[in-house]
Amino acid sequence: MKLYSTNNRDLRVDFPTAVFNSMPLDKGLYMPVDIPRLNQEFIDQIDQYSLPQIAFKVASALLKDAIPATDLKIIIDDAINFDAPVLRLADNDYVLELFHGPSLAFKDFGARFMSRVMGYFLKKNEQMLDVLVATSGDTGGAVALGFLGVENTRVTILYPKGKVSDIQELQLCTNGQNIHAIEVDGTFDDCQHLVKQAFADEELNKKLRLTSANSINIARLIPQTFYYFNAYAQLRQQGKKDIVFVVPSGNFGNIAAGLLAYRMGLPVKQFVAATNVNDTVPRFLETGVYQTRPSVQTYANAMDVGAPSNWVRIMDLFNQDKSALQQVMKGYRFTDEETLEGIDAIYNEFNYVACPHTAIAWLALQEYRMETADQESTGVFLSTAHPCKFPDVFPKEIKANVQVPEQVAVLVKKQKHATAMDTSFESFKSYLLTFC
Ligand SMILES: *Cc1c(COP(=O)(O)O)cnc(C)c1O
């Protein structure tokens, strides 16, 4: 597999280089030079395959010889070891639940695959890989649980004190082994600033092998294509076609993976990007003008992004052709008030509790149906997280109906461990130097 940079089409790197660099030096993003089309026979029989089997087919086509088949199969069976069921909610409306992994969010797909790929490429006697992550909640849990126990890796997570939910904090602070949590007396931006300073620090880079494992890593994007194919397989089994995927979006990695799957031959009628008031993309789709804005805080906080980092990937997938993109993708935005109304409506009509991000996707599906008068298509909205991760958003009655899954319930009994730290870089640097 060869990859180029979205800032330089002539650049060519191999897959391991792209994985360990995360980002090219020119600050573009890595994209596959060749986007293979899966053969029609496979697509036509896809309903006979399981999720790991589908994942293996898709990954082999993209990665080519980057990882030999037997090794790739082991990586996938280990990483993709939970389901992504499509449930029927009403008429032609379906929910694709992506929260059955260990951190209860779709980011588990990306983080688990990436961690195992990194572990695979790290040769036995190589220097330990130090993964640094700043998190406002969801990313940290997925990365922590993704790397837990992966040999030759050590993860340091920085999170803002008092600003992540209880469950999120438990997911960060109860792992032990190769996972370290730091509770920063500051904001998420302070955490991110500390990580950035570490990457820019000469001494640290000399003594440690640092990587960011962040959401723009190509090894996080690839596994997110798997569940789009798998959702199609489940719906095909039921004789459903004309699929409209509705994706709650922040950095637009999830929907970028859907569009990549589409370019690989997945039959999709329409993509719909659902956002909160951080609506850079819906505004672009409507006006053709792309203008980023500073982010605004909302209930769907994993989507509080004013400048979506994966946007350049999406434009590249469409060769910068705005009108081609506008035909395949629509976008709608919703306020916090509408989000709460959505949560209520889904609960009252279907007895289903949706997290705020998921509720926004459901709202967008309804809006799409209204605007286009399209009632016939099969609408699939992606549920990106389990509602128990966002307990403070729900009214009492709904909250009482949120079941906490076993893998989280057991965390409450575990010992929490985090190192308290101020926001000065000196503190963080001397902490990291104790690893040497
Ligand atoms: C990260 C996240 C999103 C946004 O996904 P992107 O790939 O950044 O668009 C949506 N919902 C939840 C619950 C998330 O954790």
Side-chain angles (χ1 to χ4, degrees), residues 99 104-107 137-139 142 168 215 220-221 224 227 247-257 274 300-305 308-310 355-358 382-386 389-390:
F99 54 70
L104 309 180
F106 83 98
K107 291 187 171 73
D138 264 2
T139 302
Q168 286 173 333
S215 69
R220 279 179 66 166
L221 192 74
Q224 294 183 25
Y227 49 74
V247 188
S249 298
N251 265 322
F252 281 71
N254 197 353
I255 200 166
N301 62 9
M303 314 199 305
D304 292 348
V305 182
S309 48
N310 281 287
C355 90
H357 313 79
T358 307
L382 276 59
S383 179
T384 43
H386 192 286
K389 298 188 86 174
F390 309 93

Side-chain angles (χ1 to χ4, degrees), residues 129-135 143 154-158 182 191 194-200 204-205 208-214 425 428 431-432 435:
L129 185 70
D130 268 296
V131 181
L132 307 183
V133 220
T135 186
V143 171
R154 177 168 47 203
V155 179
T156 303
I157 302 165
L158 296 86
I182 298 183
C191 298
L194 287 173
V195 169
K196 283 200 176 133
Q197 284 173 288
F199 284 122
L204 285 176
N205 277 287
L208 298 169
R209 180 175 182 179
L210 301 177
T211 187
S212 75
N214 59 18
F425 181 58
F428 185 44
Y431 174 90
L432 290 174
F435 290 159

Side-chain angles (χ1 to χ4, degrees), residues 181-240:
I182 298 183
E183 181 181 34
V184 176
D185 195 1
T187 62
F188 168 62
D189 287 338
D190 292 325
C191 298
Q192 207 159 29
H193 189 54
L194 287 173
V195 169
K196 283 200 176 133
Q197 284 173 288
F199 284 122
D201 188 272
E202 212 175 305
E203 185 185 1
L204 285 176
N205 277 287
K206 224 181 251 161
K207 294 187 170 162
L208 298 169
R209 180 175 182 179
L210 301 177
T211 187
S212 75
N214 59 18
S215 69
I216 44 96
N217 197 299
I218 190 72
R220 279 179 66 166
L221 192 74
I222 289 168
Q224 294 183 25
T225 60
F226 303 162
Y227 49 74
Y228 285 94
F229 284 99
N230 186 57
Y232 173 74
Q234 292 174 68
L235 290 162
R236 204 184 154 92
Q237 244 165 24
Q238 302 176 36
K240 291 282 173 183

Side-chain angles (χ1 to χ4, degrees), residues 405-423:
E406 185 60 22
Q407 71 254 51
V408 169
V410 297
L411 294 184
V412 181
K413 296 185 199 111
K414 287 199 182 174
Q415 187 73 25
K416 233 170 68 180
H417 187 79
T419 305
M421 201 170 281
D422 56 33
T423 56

